[in-house]
Amino acid sequence: MKILVLNGSPRKGVSNTMKVTEAFVDGICEESCGSAEVETINIVDCKITPCTGCLSCWGKTEGECVIKDDIPQIKEKIMKSDIIVESFPLYFFGMPGILKLFTDRMLSMMCTYKGQRAELGTSFHGLRYPSKDKKFVIVSSCGYALTDYVYDPLLAQYDCICGKGNYTPILCPQGKTLRVPELKNHIDKFLEKFKQAGREMYRFGKIIPETAEKLSKPPFPERTFKALIQKFWSDEKESVKNV
Ligand SMILES: Cc1cc2nc3c(=O)[nH]c(=O)nc-3n(C[C@H](O)[C@H](O)[C@H](O)COP(=O)(O)O)c2cc1C
């Protein structure tokens, strides 16, 4: 099994979201007894030219983008992978700009639009290279106390792109708490459910509903989180004064 992680956080190696993604991927690897191969691509390090909107990939060059940068190589890796994980923070209720640039360039992997409508389980375009066995997972963390409401715009966008039910969302609130050294013990326990989700993804090809329901529960009760985040920002201000 090949797993491709597309890290869409500009914070790369210190990404909060990657803590969740790593737990999920660890679960897959553990369940596969180490036979799963994992490759991570940091989108911010890739040469990705913005889509020029020429639509050649839908006409003249059929499925091929005319821009020659890192995209053709990433597309090849996507084609060869069994599980594709997009890992990214929520930015202004959507995906970060670098990931949007990447997503726009994926147009060549979508079918030409010929007036079709999105039905349940299908997207507006449909995939050019559909595969029943390929799994697409989005892992995202955000700064707010809860995932309710704030993820609605992003999920609506992915529903339109992939089709409802054609991807697995894993959403995590209180992202800022995930890498605080003093909270490590608590966070390690909190991350266990994402590892369980990974084990299930390997075993059943999906996350069972009871686990899925637990995934977006926050690491801390709202009141505790409020105290933590207030302390974080006052410490930040203090650190500037002490320089
Ligand atoms: C430009 C920018 C916009 C953001 N917008 C939101 C937002 O709309 N909602 C939210 O809850 N958090 C928002 N955040 C916070 C990040 O989503 C959060 O800190 C996340 O855990 C960062 O993950 P990363 O370390 O993987 O990049 C924003 C952060 C930045 C830098």
Side-chain angles (χ1 to χ4, degrees):
M1 174 179 276
K2 280 188 164 42
I3 304 158
L4 181 66
V5 177
L6 299 168
N7 178 7
S9 169
R11 286 162 33 82
K12 299 202 281 190
V14 292
S15 153
N16 301 332
T17 318
M18 281 298 285
K19 288 289 282 184
V20 177
T21 302
E22 280 158 11
F24 177 69
V25 171
D26 278 356
I28 300 176
C29 292
E30 194 184 282
E31 198 62 20
S32 77
C33 297
S35 68
E37 280 173 44
V38 186
E39 181 175 354
T40 301
I41 297 177
N42 292 318
I43 295 291
V44 74
D45 288 337
C46 298
K47 185 169 185 276
I48 300 176
T49 310
C51 175
T52 60
C54 72
L55 292 179
S56 290
C57 62
W58 274 7
K60 292 180 188 135
T61 53
E62 270 283 358
E64 294 299 324
C65 181
V66 293
I67 305 169
K68 299 299 168 223
D69 52 11
D70 288 345
I71 289 290
Q73 208 190 342
I74 301 175
K75 270 171 64 179
E76 228 175 280
K77 289 179 195 272
I78 290 174
M79 297 291 286
K80 288 185 185 150
S81 299
D82 303 292
I83 302 180
I84 297 121
V85 183
E86 269 188 6
S87 175
F88 59 91
L90 187 71
Y91 275 10
F92 282 106
F93 313 101
M95 63 180 82
I98 52 165
L99 193 63
K100 182 60 169 59
L101 278 185
F102 169 81
T103 306
D104 289 350
R105 292 290 303 289
M106 289 298 112
L107 194 74
S108 61
M109 292 196 90
M110 309 301 284
C111 290
T112 312
Y113 180 67
K114 298 189 194 104
Q116 60 271 42
R117 288 170 71 160
E119 316 284 349
L120 187 69
T122 65
S123 67
F124 274 93
H125 300 274
L127 296 173
R128 189 179 280 276
Y129 316 102
S131 160
K132 261 204 316 321
D133 303 323
K134 217 183 262 298
K135 305 286 173 208
F136 180 52
V137 181
I138 62 167
V139 180
S140 181
S141 78
C142 73
Y144 292 139
L146 299 169
T147 56
D148 307 347
Y149 186 70
V150 295
Y151 270 105
D152 292 354
L154 181 91
L155 294 178
Q157 188 177 22
Y158 273 94
D159 284 351
C160 287
I161 297 172
C162 306
K164 239 188 171 117
N166 288 346
Y167 67 100
T168 304
I170 297 178
L171 311 174
C172 177
Q174 304 182 8
K176 271 242 172 283
T177 63
L178 298 177
R179 282 191 183 273
V180 177
E182 300 80 48
L183 306 176
K184 187 177 180 311
N185 286 348
H186 181 88
I187 293 300
D188 283 350
K189 276 189 214 126
F190 168 77
L191 292 173
E192 188 48 45
K193 62 186 177 182
F194 300 105
K195 207 167 175 183
Q196 176 59 20
R199 289 186 198 108
E200 291 169 4
M201 183 55 83
Y202 181 83
R203 208 180 314 160
F204 312 120
K206 61 177 188 186
I207 301 169
I208 62 169
E210 288 132 65
T211 308
E213 210 195 297
K214 288 183 202 155
L215 291 186
S216 49
K217 297 266 184 309
F220 295 97
E222 262 186 274
R223 196 145 30 120
T224 313
F225 173 65
K226 228 172 157 174
L228 288 169
I229 205 78
Q230 274 167 9
K231 182 175 178 325
F232 173 84
W233 288 118
S234 65
D235 285 355
E236 283 279 291
K237 283 180 192 153
E238 277 306 309
S239 71
V240 176
K241 278 188 214 155
N242 296 334
V243 169

